[in-house]
Amino acid sequence: MSLATFLRQRRRLLLFCVATLVLHGVAIDWASNHLAGVAPRSSPLPASLMTAQLQLSLPKHVDTPEPAQPQALPARQLPVRPPPSISQASHAPAIAPLAPAPSGETSAAVEGVLADAASLTTPVVAEQAGASAAQTGTPVPMPVQADGATPLDAQVPELLSMRRYKVNLPPSADFDMDVARVDADGTRWSGSANMRWHTDGSQYQASVEAGLNLLVTRLNLLVMRSTGSIDDYGIAPATSTQKRARRAETATHFNRDAATITFSASERSFPLLVGAQDMTTVPFQLGGIGRADANQFATDIDMQVGEDRTANIFRFRLVGEEELETGLGKLKTWHLTRPPRPGSYTSKLDIWLAPSLNWLPVQLRNTEASGALTTQTVSRITTNVTGK
């Protein structure tokens, strides 16, 4: 084969390849333009599906209603439900407990109160604070929450002053109590305590003395005393003292005229809020709240409590009904707890009230941050005590 013949064949092959590529390109372009303008008749999805999906993914505008005007009375009332009588508390039908408990069951009365709490998602204080903010245009700080603490100095006293509970204080009583303590390292101690609550309806005296039994002596762990009056908000302490083992006695003063709480062991002072208590009177104030209307436990109970150097907002919540084994036999009780609150207090306080005994406290337990437990359980109660 000559060189000229070979070059002619290569040229024809090259021209054939170029022509093939051009024809394929024209065919593909025609097909895409033709199919783009015609929707297939057998398409399994409607043409509007993608548009609808995109529209659903966009946020929807919601008109915000105008805030309600402040009311003279609380904006939300608890459901009307009569408090359980002694017979109801003792014979209420039992159902499964809502929270783990050492023993006992949750009664229908407690179940009803806890069910009411689920529908009350906005406390009265929050609603009134919001109404006040809407009226003045100024943000209003909210009360302290269970998962954090706000220094009482930074709170607005008027907010908590709007929280008012009905109170029907229990009659005078003397208590003998067994004390059981378990240290953080597991060491166990036993002892005894005496608790006194005396009132004539206008004045009161209360005290707690708790100690441990050692081999040849007794060690007083805590001595607390409180005196004051009874007002429309329940117990109104005037002076309380506290003496812990190996520490000097301290005094807390509730200055009604100056509306302040002051301390012998500190130069700090706090605004005195209505319904304020001290560590001695807290169990009896809670008993008075339950005795007046058990439905008040449907929401958390907030109260200001003055201690030896500070004042904090204690928040108690209802755990449920528990049956306790005591020196008086088995007692149906309502269990309230105050969880720790970082920044304010690190211990947990649990109180058990007995509806069949005028809502008197029959067990107290303090759980320290270290894990140490101190439990006081009633062994004897003397009621209708006269004198001071």
Side-chain angles (χ1 to χ4, degrees), residues 74 124-125 128-129 157-164 274:
V124 173
V125 174
Q128 293 183 344
E158 291 77 11
L159 287 180
L160 286 171
S161 70
M162 289 187 287
R163 295 183 64 90
R164 178 171 181 170
V274 295

Side-chain angles (χ1 to χ4, degrees), residues 10-33:
R10 292 294 301 270
R11 188 180 298 110
R12 293 191 190 103
L13 179 62
L14 180 61
L15 291 174
F16 177 77
C17 292
V18 170
T20 302
L21 291 174
V22 170
L23 290 174
H24 277 77
V26 171
I28 292 173
D29 183 66
W30 176 87
S32 61
N33 290 335

Side-chain angles (χ1 to χ4, degrees), residues 148-278:
T150 300
L152 191 59
D153 319 54
Q155 296 175 24
V156 179
E158 291 77 11
L159 287 180
L160 286 171
S161 70
M162 289 187 287
R163 295 183 64 90
R164 178 171 181 170
Y165 305 102
K166 293 183 290 183
V167 180
N168 182 8
L169 294 170
S172 299
D174 280 349
F175 305 76
D176 289 335
M177 310 190 80
D178 296 326
V179 176
R181 178 176 171 82
V182 182
D183 290 339
D185 61 4
T187 305
R188 296 179 177 273
W189 305 85
S190 63
S192 60
N194 177 263
M195 187 163 59
R196 301 173 70 244
W197 163 252
H198 290 190
T199 180
D200 61 4
S202 61
Q203 303 291 321
Y204 81 90
Q205 290 187 345
S207 65
V208 176
E209 297 183 18
L212 300 178
N213 299 327
L214 305 181
L215 291 177
V216 294
T217 186
R218 170 187 167 87
L219 173 65
N220 278 342
L221 291 177
L222 178 66
V223 177
M224 299 190 301
R225 305 186 190 281
S226 175
T227 59
S229 59
I230 308 297
D231 62 14
D232 292 339
Y233 297 90
I235 303 173
T239 302
S240 67
T241 60
Q242 189 173 116
K243 173 71 172 69
R244 295 184 179 273
R246 301 184 182 89
R247 295 184 186 178
E249 183 177 83
T250 60
T252 302
H253 303 283
F254 297 78
N255 310 297
R256 303 285 164 183
D257 294 338
T260 59
I261 301 177
T262 56
F263 316 92
S264 64
S266 171
E267 295 183 355
R268 299 181 68 187
S269 66
F270 292 83
L272 175 63
L273 308 183
V274 295
Q277 303 298 310
D278 57 47

